[in-house]
Amino acid sequence: MPDHISFQPSNPDAKPIKQQLLEAEARSWIRRGYRTPERLEQLQAMLKEKKRSESNILTLVDEMRRQWKRRAEWLQPGDGS
C-alpha cells in the first residue's frame, strides 16, 4: 500500500488545492470588509497575534490584491459587498 495517495483532478488545468484555499480565504476577508489600508493593517495585526508567519500574511495580502482586481468574476449580487 502506498505511503500517500495523491489526488489527480480530472481537469489537468485545475489549480492546486493550496491555491484554491488561498483564493477563497482572500475573498472571504475582502467580503468581511478588509478593503482599506487601515482595515488591512488591522487584519495583519490580528493574524500576527494568531501566530501566522510574516511570509504567510504577505502571501495572503498579495492574493487579496489579486482577488480585488478580479472581484467582478466572483462577487454575487446581494452578498453585501
Side-chain angles (χ1 to χ4, degrees), residues 64-78:
M64 288 174 72
R65 289 184 176 121
R66 278 192 288 279
Q67 291 301 315
W68 181 256
K69 290 177 184 175
R70 38 185 303 240
R71 66 191 175 276
E73 296 173 24
W74 52 264
L75 282 178
Q76 298 295 321

Side-chain angles (χ1 to χ4, degrees), residues 1-43:
M1 189 178 258
D3 292 337
H4 69 282
I5 297 172
S6 62
F7 174 72
Q8 297 296 326
S10 59
N11 180 356
D13 296 327
K15 296 176 186 172
I17 299 297
K18 188 174 180 178
Q19 180 62 30
Q20 291 176 28
L21 291 172
L22 177 62
E23 290 174 5
E25 182 182 13
R27 290 189 299 265
S28 177
W29 288 119
I30 291 169
R31 286 185 178 116
R32 292 181 202 174
Y34 292 93
R35 301 179 189 135
T36 64
E38 296 80 21
R39 291 284 285 161
L40 199 54
E41 285 179 24
Q42 291 174 352
L43 176 63

Side-chain angles (χ1 to χ4, degrees), residues 39-53:
R39 291 284 285 161
L40 199 54
E41 285 179 24
Q42 291 174 352
L43 176 63
Q44 289 173 309
M46 179 182 64
L47 294 174
K48 283 180 187 175
E49 287 177 15
K50 293 182 183 259
K51 307 293 186 209
R52 296 228 352 215
S53 71

